Amino acid sequence: MQRTFSIIKPDAVRRNLIGHINQIIESSNLNILASKKIYLTKIQAETFYEVHKGRPFFESLVKFMTSGAVQVQVLEGEDAVANYRKIMGATNPAEAEEGTIRKLYAESIEANSVHGSDSEENAKIEISFFFSGSELV
Ligand code: CMP
């Protein structure tokens, strides 16, 4: 069993897609271990996406991620990191496979509806950024 971290981004929350996206997640052998709706502060968004600091899309990304509520979640299952990345689809929805969350719902490469950790190591860091141990049951 492995855990990964997911964000349902403001574009998807605004369009009431949390249930639709979680239906895809739950029907893909992933258990939603924890889930909460929050507003990211500018500092939280900048820190979370620090690895992209200096890239041309960084400021716009921070603005987008703080433009509305997000749903942060911890998912658990076999090969959860790779499994969730597969069902999310490519970062750019134009390149995402049919049936993936981003192909179905993303509006653009920025407003791409969901985030998922890219490794087990980063999943642990990202989960602990938003959830305390007692929230993970
Ligand atoms: P995410 O998987 O959350 O990781 C970084 C985010 O930056 C990405 O999804 C997109 O929302 C956003 N982004 C905007 N432009 C780009 C780009 N050209 N390449 C990669 N990510 C981008």
Side-chain angles (χ1 to χ4, degrees), residues 82-102:
N83 184 5
Y84 186 49
R85 287 184 73 81
K86 188 157 189 273
I87 65 170
M88 281 196 306
T91 304
N92 184 349
E95 292 164 12
E97 275 182 44
E98 289 298 328
T100 60
I101 295 168
R102 284 168 169 161

Side-chain angles (χ1 to χ4, degrees), residues 47-78:
T47 307
F48 184 79
Y49 280 119
E50 200 157 26
V51 65
H52 297 299
K53 208 169 178 171
R55 298 184 73 176
F57 58 84
F58 181 74
E59 278 175 26
S60 175
L61 174 63
V62 169
K63 208 169 171 188
F64 164 63
M65 291 300 291
T66 56
S67 68
V70 297
Q71 190 80 17
V72 290
Q73 308 195 123
V74 180
L75 312 179
E76 187 174 68
E78 205 175 304

